[in-house]
Amino acid sequence: MTEFRYELLATDGKARLGRIHTAHGVIDTPAFMPVGTAATVKGMLPENVADTGAQILLGNTYHLMLRPGAERIARLGGLHKFMNWDKPILTDSGGYQVMSLSKLRKITEDGVTFKSHIDGRKFALSPERSMEIQHLLGSTITMAFDECTPFPATEQQAADSMRMSMRWAKRSKDAFVEREGYALYGIQQGSVFENLRRESSEKLAELDLPGHSVGGLAVGEGQQIMFDTLDFCVDMLPANKPRYLMGVGKPSDLVGAVMRGIDQFDCVLPTRSGRNAQAFTHRGTLNLKNGRHRDDDRPLDDQCNCPACTKYSRAYLHHLIKAGEILGAVLLTWHNLAYYQDLMRGMREAIAAGRMEQFARDFYAGQEGGDI
Ligand SMILES: CC1(C)O[C@@H]2[C@@H](CO[C@@]3(CNc4nc5cc6c(=O)[nH]c(N)nc6cc5[nH]4)OC(C)(C)O[C@@H]23)O1
Ligand SMILES: [Zn+2]
């Protein structure tokens, strides 16, 4: 069996090249984790997600406990078998999704009770129940149960929220069932306040967990406030363990956060945008609904080797989108996931070669694209 281990292979400024060893395989970092909320990366077969270079997927406790149910997935062999993905899976712990999706929720020191956004049934989540669900799913990386502090928050609100999340982190660790090659990550909170981020980091350090995430960001604060917060909060987390920035982000977020020391990312943007006709390319973003593409037989992105870019034209993609054809959403999702993995691979190679600054300059110049 494999022990869960983070290898720091190279650094370039604050950027890090690393490798995470897990029971379900290796993750080269910096890494982007495609979101597979309801046990599927929407519109994609798992083998094609793997073909883009993804080595780990994200799942959600909240969605899977509502439907089809964690006990049912466990009876059917666990989430890996259920969705036919045998590489690592990281699952979020559910608190944040409760706040952003469910109705009639109530928060107490014990946890949260809420009504399903699907059928109104009543559910409860606590650190203990979240750990149990993630264990039933067979998650490779389990996230502690926390409360994502809304933005903006006063310092007092952020302090109260962070302190409850730290009490819940201890309860999460006490309830987590240790298995070789599996890990529990702690979640740093504290909103945009340096003193609170430090207090949160010190509390997490007492738990000696194998990895950590920066929570409480990508909640509407905007890129500059996110970067200003990352400038001080990432270094507060142990350098010899992975650092995961939750819910981020658009391509320029990824480049800026890698340069501030982040190793793991997840975001619905590449898949959600793909279903909404938006394509990320090396020359900037395109919306294939736009009529200017109707006669354009160029590939979407001439630096991409995904099926959408090697086998089809912009005109065809535009046609599929206008016709509401499922294949349009599939091909643009596929391309966006491939583009995100190419971006991560490019950053890993740049860090290995000590030219991350140049990579970032070239990236921003490319995004200005001009006639794309
Ligand atoms: C960027 C983009 C496109 O992603 C969408 C939408 C709004 O932002 C997102 C992504 N931001 C995001 N921040 C997070 C913070 C935490 C956190 O503090 N704790 C835990 N356990 N999980 C978290 C998950 C997070 N996701 O949040 C939801 C509401 C999940 O939809 C996502 O804008
Ligand atoms: Zn492509």
Side-chain angles (χ1 to χ4, degrees), residues 92-93 96 100 146 148 187 189 215-219 246-247 267-269:
D92 198 355
S93 46
Y96 182 60
S100 56
D146 68 329
C148 172
I187 305 179
Q189 294 290 348
L217 292 178
V219 287
M246 305 186 87
C267 191
V268 295
L269 211 49

Side-chain angles (χ1 to χ4, degrees), residues 135 239 241 330 342 347 356:
H135 182 79
K241 297 173 180 178
V330 169
D342 286 352
M347 289 198 273
M356 185 60 212

Side-chain angles (χ1 to χ4, degrees), residues 152-166:
T154 65
E155 187 164 348
Q156 189 56 58
Q157 287 166 338
D160 295 343
S161 174
M162 177 272 290
R163 288 165 187 158
M164 182 160 74
S165 288
M166 295 304 100

